[in-house]
Amino acid sequence: TSVQYYTGTVCSACNYKCLTCTGTATNCTSCPPSAYRVYKANACNCQNNYYDSGAVVCSACAYSCLTCSSALSTACLSCNPASLRTLASATCSCPSGYYDDGANSTCNPCSYKCLTCGYASNCTTCSAAKFRSLSASTHFCECFSTYF
């Protein structure tokens, strides 16, 4: 096992995904360290949150993706179920009542006063069922008059 394999007549280099290989260039026996690759079934594929950009070291997906396309880090192929995100049109979006803070994979809850929000207390829509309406000046969902 080495960074090269023997074809019977000549030594050839292992595939960039493999640290070591045997028999063929893509029959990995180990993966490069610190390359965000996982060894499984003689292959060294990128771990979750990373994609194969054609280099030894895998590239990071966008923070919201669990897995992403090798063509574009922001083109999500799947979302982490624990993040509350759902996949639609290659984007992992937060559900109603939650917001994306632009940095963390997990969606954050809106204020209890908001139906939807841009961030915690910046409401974008309110629930009429909760007798609240959006104040254009404060971006809060205020109680209807005669309610508290």
Side-chain angles (χ1 to χ4, degrees):
T1 306
S2 66
V3 294
Q4 295 185 334
Y5 69 98
Y6 186 62
T7 65
T9 57
V10 65
C11 289
S12 296
C14 294
N15 182 277
Y16 69 92
K17 296 177 184 183
C18 308
L19 176 63
T20 57
C21 64
T22 186
T24 67
T26 57
N27 189 28
C28 302
T29 53
S30 68
C31 306
S34 304
Y36 308 105
R37 294 189 179 276
V38 177
Y39 179 78
K40 184 177 178 184
N42 294 3
C44 292
N45 295 315
C46 296
Q47 67 187 37
N48 285 343
N49 303 108
Y50 290 86
Y51 69 99
D52 195 325
S53 60
V56 172
V57 178
C58 296
S59 298
C61 293
Y63 69 92
S64 60
C65 304
L66 178 62
T67 58
C68 63
S69 166
S70 59
L72 188 62
S73 67
T74 56
C76 301
L77 298 174
S78 67
C79 311
N80 183 344
S83 72
L84 305 176
R85 295 177 183 273
T86 54
L87 183 65
S89 302
T91 301
C92 291
S93 301
C94 294
S96 181
Y98 291 83
Y99 70 97
D100 184 335
D101 68 5
N104 295 301
S105 63
T106 303
C107 297
N108 297 296
C110 296
S111 163
Y112 71 94
K113 297 177 181 180
C114 306
L115 182 60
T116 60
C117 64
Y119 53 90
S121 60
N122 182 11
C123 302
T124 52
T125 60
C126 307
S127 172
K130 292 183 179 179
F131 307 105
R132 295 186 178 272
S133 63
L134 185 63
S135 166
S137 61
T138 65
H139 297 286
F140 290 134
C141 292
E142 306 290 345
C143 291
F144 289 167
S145 59
T146 72
Y147 287 86
F148 63 95

